[in-house]
PDB file of all heavy atoms in Angstrom:
ATOM      1  N   GLN A   1      90.252  83.723  87.770  1.00 97.00           N
ATOM      2  CA  GLN A   1      89.237  82.732  87.492  1.00 97.00           C
ATOM      3  C   GLN A   1      89.461  81.434  88.245  1.00 97.00           C
ATOM      4  O   GLN A   1      88.495  80.837  88.728  1.00 97.00           O
ATOM      5  CB  GLN A   1      89.150  82.398  86.008  1.00 97.00           C
ATOM      6  CG  GLN A   1      88.752  83.603  85.130  1.00 97.00           C
ATOM      7  CD  GLN A   1      87.475  84.285  85.611  1.00 97.00           C
ATOM      8  OE1 GLN A   1      86.522  83.624  85.953  1.00 97.00           O
ATOM      9  NE2 GLN A   1      87.449  85.665  85.688  1.00 97.00           N
ATOM     10  N   HIS A   2      90.697  81.068  88.520  1.00 97.00           N
ATOM     11  CA  HIS A   2      90.974  79.873  89.264  1.00 97.00           C
ATOM     12  C   HIS A   2      90.661  80.035  90.805  1.00 97.00           C
ATOM     13  O   HIS A   2      90.635  79.048  91.514  1.00 97.00           O
ATOM     14  CB  HIS A   2      92.393  79.459  89.079  1.00 97.00           C
ATOM     15  CG  HIS A   2      93.460  80.346  89.709  1.00 97.00           C
ATOM     16  ND1 HIS A   2      93.692  81.625  89.258  1.00 97.00           N
ATOM     17  CD2 HIS A   2      94.198  80.235  90.811  1.00 97.00           C
ATOM     18  CE1 HIS A   2      94.565  82.222  89.997  1.00 97.00           C
ATOM     19  NE2 HIS A   2      94.894  81.394  90.981  1.00 97.00           N
ATOM     20  N   LEU A   3      90.427  81.236  91.180  1.00 97.00           N
ATOM     21  CA  LEU A   3      89.990  81.626  92.587  1.00 97.00           C
ATOM     22  C   LEU A   3      88.508  82.033  92.544  1.00 97.00           C
ATOM     23  O   LEU A   3      88.096  82.844  93.374  1.00 97.00           O
ATOM     24  CB  LEU A   3      90.906  82.732  93.095  1.00 97.00           C
ATOM     25  CG  LEU A   3      92.370  82.447  93.234  1.00 97.00           C
ATOM     26  CD1 LEU A   3      93.106  83.649  93.868  1.00 97.00           C
ATOM     27  CD2 LEU A   3      92.647  81.170  94.037  1.00 97.00           C
ATOM     28  N   ASP A   4      87.803  81.494  91.641  1.00 95.00           N
ATOM     29  CA  ASP A   4      86.362  81.797  91.559  1.00 95.00           C
ATOM     30  C   ASP A   4      86.049  83.208  91.312  1.00 95.00           C
ATOM     31  O   ASP A   4      85.069  83.772  91.796  1.00 95.00           O
ATOM     32  CB  ASP A   4      85.621  81.261  92.835  1.00 95.00           C
ATOM     33  CG  ASP A   4      85.808  79.755  93.062  1.00 95.00           C
ATOM     34  OD1 ASP A   4      85.854  79.059  92.075  1.00 95.00           O
ATOM     35  OD2 ASP A   4      86.019  79.399  94.269  1.00 95.00           O
ATOM     36  N   GLY A   5      86.944  83.860  90.556  1.00 96.00           N
ATOM     37  CA  GLY A   5      86.743  85.233  90.104  1.00 96.00           C
ATOM     38  C   GLY A   5      87.177  86.326  91.135  1.00 96.00           C
ATOM     39  O   GLY A   5      86.841  87.503  90.917  1.00 96.00           O
ATOM     40  N   ARG A   6      87.806  85.852  92.185  1.00 95.00           N
ATOM     41  CA  ARG A   6      88.294  86.834  93.238  1.00 95.00           C
ATOM     42  C   ARG A   6      89.265  87.828  92.642  1.00 95.00           C
ATOM     43  O   ARG A   6      90.083  87.494  91.786  1.00 95.00           O
ATOM     44  CB  ARG A   6      89.002  86.113  94.356  1.00 95.00           C
ATOM     45  CG  ARG A   6      88.104  85.665  95.502  1.00 95.00           C
ATOM     46  CD  ARG A   6      89.007  85.140  96.609  1.00 95.00           C
ATOM     47  NE  ARG A   6      89.832  86.157  97.185  1.00 95.00           N
ATOM     48  CZ  ARG A   6      91.030  85.914  97.716  1.00 95.00           C
ATOM     49  NH1 ARG A   6      91.569  84.728  97.745  1.00 95.00           N
ATOM     50  NH2 ARG A   6      91.705  86.933  98.289  1.00 95.00           N
ATOM     51  N   GLU A   7      89.164  89.045  93.161  1.00 94.00           N
ATOM     52  CA  GLU A   7      90.200  90.053  92.962  1.00 94.00           C
ATOM     53  C   GLU A   7      90.913  90.333  94.271  1.00 94.00           C
ATOM     54  O   GLU A   7      90.248  90.209  95.348  1.00 94.00           O
ATOM     55  CB  GLU A   7      89.643  91.355  92.395  1.00 94.00           C
ATOM     56  CG  GLU A   7      88.910  91.200  91.101  1.00 94.00           C
ATOM     57  CD  GLU A   7      88.329  92.499  90.628  1.00 94.00           C
ATOM     58  OE1 GLU A   7      88.606  93.540  91.209  1.00 94.00           O
ATOM     59  OE2 GLU A   7      87.472  92.427  89.741  1.00 94.00           O
ATOM     60  N   HIS A   8      92.175  90.728  94.297  1.00 92.00           N
ATOM     61  CA  HIS A   8      92.812  91.143  95.493  1.00 92.00           C
ATOM     62  C   HIS A   8      93.771  92.242  95.192  1.00 92.00           C
ATOM     63  O   HIS A   8      93.972  92.614  94.084  1.00 92.00           O
ATOM     64  CB  HIS A   8      93.420  89.922  96.220  1.00 92.00           C
ATOM     65  CG  HIS A   8      94.337  89.075  95.417  1.00 92.00           C
ATOM     66  ND1 HIS A   8      95.737  89.232  95.381  1.00 92.00           N
ATOM     67  CD2 HIS A   8      94.120  88.029  94.540  1.00 92.00           C
ATOM     68  CE1 HIS A   8      96.241  88.336  94.558  1.00 92.00           C
ATOM     69  NE2 HIS A   8      95.292  87.645  94.103  1.00 92.00           N
ATOM     70  N   GLU A   9      94.388  92.745  96.173  1.00 93.00           N
ATOM     71  CA  GLU A   9      95.333  93.873  95.991  1.00 93.00           C
ATOM     72  C   GLU A   9      96.766  93.462  96.373  1.00 93.00           C
ATOM     73  O   GLU A   9      96.985  92.658  97.250  1.00 93.00           O
ATOM     74  CB  GLU A   9      94.918  95.089  96.901  1.00 93.00           C
ATOM     75  CG  GLU A   9      93.658  95.762  96.387  1.00 93.00           C
ATOM     76  CD  GLU A   9      93.283  96.934  97.347  1.00 93.00           C
ATOM     77  OE1 GLU A   9      93.712  96.953  98.491  1.00 93.00           O
ATOM     78  OE2 GLU A   9      92.573  97.831  96.870  1.00 93.00           O
ATOM     79  N   ILE A  10      97.701  94.049  95.607  1.00 95.00           N
ATOM     80  CA  ILE A  10      99.079  93.970  95.920  1.00 95.00           C
ATOM     81  C   ILE A  10      99.607  95.364  96.275  1.00 95.00           C
ATOM     82  O   ILE A  10      99.584  96.275  95.425  1.00 95.00           O
ATOM     83  CB  ILE A  10      99.908  93.374  94.739  1.00 95.00           C
ATOM     84  CG1 ILE A  10      99.311  91.978  94.284  1.00 95.00           C
ATOM     85  CG2 ILE A  10     101.381  93.205  95.147  1.00 95.00           C
ATOM     86  CD1 ILE A  10     100.088  91.452  93.059  1.00 95.00           C
ATOM     87  N   SER A  11      99.905  95.602  97.498  1.00 92.00           N
ATOM     88  CA  SER A  11     100.403  96.937  97.867  1.00 92.00           C
ATOM     89  C   SER A  11     101.900  96.964  97.781  1.00 92.00           C
ATOM     90  O   SER A  11     102.581  95.974  98.090  1.00 92.00           O
ATOM     91  CB  SER A  11      99.958  97.314  99.329  1.00 92.00           C
ATOM     92  OG  SER A  11     100.427  96.305 100.225  1.00 92.00           O
ATOM     93  N   GLN A  12     102.433  98.065  97.366  1.00 94.00           N
ATOM     94  CA  GLN A  12     103.845  98.285  97.195  1.00 94.00           C
ATOM     95  C   GLN A  12     104.220  99.664  97.810  1.00 94.00           C
ATOM     96  O   GLN A  12     103.339 100.635  97.892  1.00 94.00           O
ATOM     97  CB  GLN A  12     104.262  98.306  95.733  1.00 94.00           C
ATOM     98  CG  GLN A  12     103.994  96.968  95.001  1.00 94.00           C
ATOM     99  CD  GLN A  12     104.969  95.891  95.363  1.00 94.00           C
ATOM    100  OE1 GLN A  12     106.026  95.792  94.657  1.00 94.00           O
ATOM    101  NE2 GLN A  12     104.742  95.099  96.349  1.00 94.00           N
ATOM    102  N   GLY A  13     105.431  99.818  98.337  1.00 94.00           N
ATOM    103  CA  GLY A  13     105.850 101.070  98.905  1.00 94.00           C
ATOM    104  C   GLY A  13     105.802 102.256  97.940  1.00 94.00           C
ATOM    105  O   GLY A  13     106.273 102.074  96.827  1.00 94.00           O
ATOM    106  N   ASN A  14     105.252 103.333  98.362  1.00 96.00           N
ATOM    107  CA  ASN A  14     105.205 104.560  97.623  1.00 96.00           C
ATOM    108  C   ASN A  14     106.027 105.599  98.350  1.00 96.00           C
ATOM    109  O   ASN A  14     105.535 106.655  98.767  1.00 96.00           O
ATOM    110  CB  ASN A  14     103.775 105.058  97.462  1.00 96.00           C
ATOM    111  CG  ASN A  14     103.659 106.188  96.509  1.00 96.00           C
ATOM    112  OD1 ASN A  14     104.349 106.295  95.476  1.00 96.00           O
ATOM    113  ND2 ASN A  14     102.750 107.108  96.831  1.00 96.00           N
ATOM    114  N   VAL A  15     107.338 105.312  98.627  1.00 97.00           N
ATOM    115  CA  VAL A  15     108.130 106.105  99.573  1.00 97.00           C
ATOM    116  C   VAL A  15     109.583 105.728  99.230  1.00 97.00           C
ATOM    117  O   VAL A  15     109.919 104.625  98.728  1.00 97.00           O
ATOM    118  CB  VAL A  15     107.717 105.678 101.016  1.00 97.00           C
ATOM    119  CG1 VAL A  15     107.890 104.179 101.259  1.00 97.00           C
ATOM    120  CG2 VAL A  15     108.531 106.475 102.036  1.00 97.00           C
ATOM    121  N   LEU A  16     110.484 106.695  99.561  1.00 98.00           N
ATOM    122  CA  LEU A  16     111.955 106.375  99.385  1.00 98.00           C
ATOM    123  C   LEU A  16     112.284 105.231 100.309  1.00 98.00           C
ATOM    124  O   LEU A  16     111.920 105.196 101.457  1.00 98.00           O
ATOM    125  CB  LEU A  16     112.740 107.608  99.797  1.00 98.00           C
ATOM    126  CG  LEU A  16     114.248 107.498  99.552  1.00 98.00           C
ATOM    127  CD1 LEU A  16     114.572 107.368  98.088  1.00 98.00           C
ATOM    128  CD2 LEU A  16     115.021 108.658 100.190  1.00 98.00           C
ATOM    129  N   GLY A  17     112.967 104.250  99.771  1.00 97.00           N
ATOM    130  CA  GLY A  17     113.259 103.006 100.487  1.00 97.00           C
ATOM    131  C   GLY A  17     112.282 101.907 100.088  1.00 97.00           C
ATOM    132  O   GLY A  17     112.573 100.707 100.329  1.00 97.00           O
ATOM    133  N   GLY A  18     111.176 102.251  99.347  1.00 97.00           N
ATOM    134  CA  GLY A  18     110.269 101.281  98.859  1.00 97.00           C
ATOM    135  C   GLY A  18     109.742 100.278 100.018  1.00 97.00           C
ATOM    136  O   GLY A  18     109.393 100.786 101.037  1.00 97.00           O
ATOM    137  N   GLY A  19     109.800  99.008  99.665  1.00 95.00           N
ATOM    138  CA  GLY A  19     109.248  98.104 100.691  1.00 95.00           C
ATOM    139  C   GLY A  19     109.986  98.095 101.960  1.00 95.00           C
ATOM    140  O   GLY A  19     109.447  97.799 103.036  1.00 95.00           O
ATOM    141  N   THR A  20     111.275  98.461 101.970  1.00 97.00           N
ATOM    142  CA  THR A  20     112.016  98.443 103.261  1.00 97.00           C
ATOM    143  C   THR A  20     111.564  99.602 104.159  1.00 97.00           C
ATOM    144  O   THR A  20     111.935  99.637 105.372  1.00 97.00           O
ATOM    145  CB  THR A  20     113.539  98.615 102.998  1.00 97.00           C
ATOM    146  OG1 THR A  20     113.840  99.956 102.408  1.00 97.00           O
ATOM    147  CG2 THR A  20     114.085  97.524 102.030  1.00 97.00           C
ATOM    148  N   SER A  21     110.817 100.547 103.668  1.00 96.00           N
ATOM    149  CA  SER A  21     110.313 101.619 104.487  1.00 96.00           C
ATOM    150  C   SER A  21     108.882 101.333 104.994  1.00 96.00           C
ATOM    151  O   SER A  21     108.369 102.086 105.879  1.00 96.00           O
ATOM    152  CB  SER A  21     110.262 102.977 103.734  1.00 96.00           C
ATOM    153  OG  SER A  21     111.563 103.427 103.440  1.00 96.00           O
ATOM    154  N   VAL A  22     108.212 100.252 104.485  1.00 94.00           N
ATOM    155  CA  VAL A  22     106.810 100.009 104.929  1.00 94.00           C
ATOM    156  C   VAL A  22     106.580  98.550 105.314  1.00 94.00           C
ATOM    157  O   VAL A  22     105.480  98.170 105.682  1.00 94.00           O
ATOM    158  CB  VAL A  22     105.835 100.379 103.767  1.00 94.00           C
ATOM    159  CG1 VAL A  22     105.934 101.901 103.488  1.00 94.00           C
ATOM    160  CG2 VAL A  22     106.067  99.569 102.497  1.00 94.00           C
ATOM    161  N   ASN A  23     107.572  97.703 105.243  1.00 93.00           N
ATOM    162  CA  ASN A  23     107.386  96.297 105.452  1.00 93.00           C
ATOM    163  C   ASN A  23     107.547  95.947 106.888  1.00 93.00           C
ATOM    164  O   ASN A  23     107.748  96.795 107.780  1.00 93.00           O
ATOM    165  CB  ASN A  23     108.332  95.373 104.616  1.00 93.00           C
ATOM    166  CG  ASN A  23     109.792  95.613 105.003  1.00 93.00           C
ATOM    167  OD1 ASN A  23     110.151  96.296 105.896  1.00 93.00           O
ATOM    168  ND2 ASN A  23     110.680  94.965 104.222  1.00 93.00           N
ATOM    169  N   ALA A  24     107.427  94.667 107.232  1.00 92.00           N
ATOM    170  CA  ALA A  24     107.501  94.178 108.634  1.00 92.00           C
ATOM    171  C   ALA A  24     108.996  93.926 109.005  1.00 92.00           C
ATOM    172  O   ALA A  24     109.228  93.478 110.152  1.00 92.00           O
ATOM    173  CB  ALA A  24     106.747  92.925 108.822  1.00 92.00           C
ATOM    174  N   GLN A  25     109.930  94.272 108.165  1.00 94.00           N
ATOM    175  CA  GLN A  25     111.347  94.427 108.411  1.00 94.00           C
ATOM    176  C   GLN A  25     112.032  93.077 108.586  1.00 94.00           C
ATOM    177  O   GLN A  25     113.192  93.025 109.078  1.00 94.00           O
ATOM    178  CB  GLN A  25     111.636  95.292 109.644  1.00 94.00           C
ATOM    179  CG  GLN A  25     111.096  96.761 109.510  1.00 94.00           C
ATOM    180  CD  GLN A  25     110.364  97.221 110.748  1.00 94.00           C
ATOM    181  OE1 GLN A  25     110.983  97.520 111.700  1.00 94.00           O
ATOM    182  NE2 GLN A  25     109.072  97.236 110.719  1.00 94.00           N
ATOM    183  N   VAL A  26     111.411  91.939 108.274  1.00 97.00           N
ATOM    184  CA  VAL A  26     112.014  90.622 108.432  1.00 97.00           C
ATOM    185  C   VAL A  26     113.259  90.554 107.482  1.00 97.00           C
ATOM    186  O   VAL A  26     113.149  90.892 106.363  1.00 97.00           O
ATOM    187  CB  VAL A  26     111.068  89.485 108.088  1.00 97.00           C
ATOM    188  CG1 VAL A  26     111.789  88.133 108.176  1.00 97.00           C
ATOM    189  CG2 VAL A  26     109.889  89.520 109.026  1.00 97.00           C
ATOM    190  N   TYR A  27     114.353  90.168 108.109  1.00 98.00           N
ATOM    191  CA  TYR A  27     115.668  90.091 107.319  1.00 98.00           C
ATOM    192  C   TYR A  27     115.816  88.580 106.920  1.00 98.00           C
ATOM    193  O   TYR A  27     116.191  87.749 107.756  1.00 98.00           O
ATOM    194  CB  TYR A  27     116.826  90.533 108.140  1.00 98.00           C
ATOM    195  CG  TYR A  27     118.167  90.449 107.375  1.00 98.00           C
ATOM    196  CD1 TYR A  27     118.408  91.344 106.318  1.00 98.00           C
ATOM    197  CD2 TYR A  27     119.083  89.464 107.644  1.00 98.00           C
ATOM    198  CE1 TYR A  27     119.603  91.205 105.644  1.00 98.00           C
ATOM    199  CE2 TYR A  27     120.299  89.375 106.981  1.00 98.00           C
ATOM    200  CZ  TYR A  27     120.524  90.305 105.931  1.00 98.00           C
ATOM    201  OH  TYR A  27     121.695  90.161 105.254  1.00 98.00           O
ATOM    202  N   MET A  28     115.609  88.356 105.693  1.00 98.00           N
ATOM    203  CA  MET A  28     115.792  86.981 105.045  1.00 98.00           C
ATOM    204  C   MET A  28     116.506  87.119 103.746  1.00 98.00           C
ATOM    205  O   MET A  28     116.185  87.981 102.984  1.00 98.00           O
ATOM    206  CB  MET A  28     114.457  86.290 104.882  1.00 98.00           C
ATOM    207  CG  MET A  28     113.779  85.807 106.112  1.00 98.00           C
ATOM    208  SD  MET A  28     114.603  84.474 106.956  1.00 98.00           S
ATOM    209  CE  MET A  28     114.843  83.328 105.592  1.00 98.00           C
ATOM    210  N   ARG A  29     117.454  86.208 103.561  1.00 97.00           N
ATOM    211  CA  ARG A  29     118.243  86.261 102.307  1.00 97.00           C
ATOM    212  C   ARG A  29     117.883  85.131 101.313  1.00 97.00           C
ATOM    213  O   ARG A  29     118.257  85.253 100.099  1.00 97.00           O
ATOM    214  CB  ARG A  29     119.741  86.134 102.611  1.00 97.00           C
ATOM    215  CG  ARG A  29     120.257  87.276 103.523  1.00 97.00           C
ATOM    216  CD  ARG A  29     121.716  87.127 103.798  1.00 97.00           C
ATOM    217  NE  ARG A  29     122.125  85.814 104.268  1.00 97.00           N
ATOM    218  CZ  ARG A  29     123.222  85.629 105.062  1.00 97.00           C
ATOM    219  NH1 ARG A  29     123.906  86.646 105.463  1.00 97.00           N
ATOM    220  NH2 ARG A  29     123.558  84.368 105.394  1.00 97.00           N
ATOM    221  N   GLY A  30     117.144  84.172 101.821  1.00 97.00           N
ATOM    222  CA  GLY A  30     117.018  82.956 100.998  1.00 97.00           C
ATOM    223  C   GLY A  30     118.102  81.972 101.285  1.00 97.00           C
ATOM    224  O   GLY A  30     118.912  82.237 102.110  1.00 97.00           O
ATOM    225  N   ARG A  31     118.058  80.905 100.593  1.00 97.00           N
ATOM    226  CA  ARG A  31     119.039  79.812 100.858  1.00 97.00           C
ATOM    227  C   ARG A  31     119.992  79.663  99.649  1.00 97.00           C
ATOM    228  O   ARG A  31     119.753  80.195  98.595  1.00 97.00           O
ATOM    229  CB  ARG A  31     118.326  78.519 101.184  1.00 97.00           C
ATOM    230  CG  ARG A  31     117.372  78.073 100.065  1.00 97.00           C
ATOM    231  CD  ARG A  31     116.351  77.092 100.624  1.00 97.00           C
ATOM    232  NE  ARG A  31     115.458  76.548  99.609  1.00 97.00           N
ATOM    233  CZ  ARG A  31     114.186  76.162  99.879  1.00 97.00           C
ATOM    234  NH1 ARG A  31     113.744  76.199 101.095  1.00 97.00           N
ATOM    235  NH2 ARG A  31     113.458  75.640  98.919  1.00 97.00           N
ATOM    236  N   ALA A  32     121.103  79.040  99.952  1.00 98.00           N
ATOM    237  CA  ALA A  32     122.190  78.875  98.944  1.00 98.00           C
ATOM    238  C   ALA A  32     121.631  78.338  97.634  1.00 98.00           C
ATOM    239  O   ALA A  32     122.027  78.700  96.576  1.00 98.00           O
ATOM    240  CB  ALA A  32     123.333  78.008  99.515  1.00 98.00           C
ATOM    241  N   SER A  33     120.769  77.309  97.813  1.00 97.00           N
ATOM    242  CA  SER A  33     120.237  76.618  96.531  1.00 97.00           C
ATOM    243  C   SER A  33     119.463  77.628  95.612  1.00 97.00           C
ATOM    244  O   SER A  33     119.447  77.383  94.432  1.00 97.00           O
ATOM    245  CB  SER A  33     119.368  75.519  96.936  1.00 97.00           C
ATOM    246  OG  SER A  33     118.267  75.879  97.693  1.00 97.00           O
ATOM    247  N   ASP A  34     118.895  78.670  96.220  1.00 98.00           N
ATOM    248  CA  ASP A  34     118.205  79.640  95.421  1.00 98.00           C
ATOM    249  C   ASP A  34     119.075  80.228  94.341  1.00 98.00           C
ATOM    250  O   ASP A  34     118.780  80.428  93.162  1.00 98.00           O
ATOM    251  CB  ASP A  34     117.644  80.787  96.207  1.00 98.00           C
ATOM    252  CG  ASP A  34     116.521  80.395  97.154  1.00 98.00           C
ATOM    253  OD1 ASP A  34     115.794  79.385  96.874  1.00 98.00           O
ATOM    254  OD2 ASP A  34     116.305  81.009  98.156  1.00 98.00           O
ATOM    255  N   TYR A  35     120.303  80.641  94.763  1.00 98.00           N
ATOM    256  CA  TYR A  35     121.231  81.316  93.949  1.00 98.00           C
ATOM    257  C   TYR A  35     122.029  80.348  93.087  1.00 98.00           C
ATOM    258  O   TYR A  35     122.456  80.676  91.943  1.00 98.00           O
ATOM    259  CB  TYR A  35     122.145  82.234  94.778  1.00 98.00           C
ATOM    260  CG  TYR A  35     121.278  83.177  95.628  1.00 98.00           C
ATOM    261  CD1 TYR A  35     121.013  82.930  96.964  1.00 98.00           C
ATOM    262  CD2 TYR A  35     120.647  84.276  94.981  1.00 98.00           C
ATOM    263  CE1 TYR A  35     120.141  83.783  97.697  1.00 98.00           C
ATOM    264  CE2 TYR A  35     119.845  85.155  95.755  1.00 98.00           C
ATOM    265  CZ  TYR A  35     119.659  84.855  97.066  1.00 98.00           C
ATOM    266  OH  TYR A  35     118.763  85.685  97.783  1.00 98.00           O
TER     267      TYR A  35
END
């Protein structure tokens, strides 16, 4: 509702390896302050 009623899709891996088998492969860990 806050997007004027828009719906959108969230795709997830349906494969062994999950997202790591279908993503753009960017390697990011986050920063120290996250943890």
Side-chain angles (χ1 to χ4, degrees):
Q1 297 308 318
H2 69 290
L3 301 180
D4 302 321
R6 270 186 66 210
E7 300 176 15
H8 50 96
E9 289 180 337
I10 305 176
S11 59
Q12 299 282 272
N14 186 39
V15 57
L16 187 66
T20 66
S21 291
V22 297
N23 63 6
Q25 301 137 75
V26 176
Y27 180 73
M28 286 294 307
R29 302 181 309 207
R31 54 202 185 207
S33 60
D34 293 333
Y35 304 99

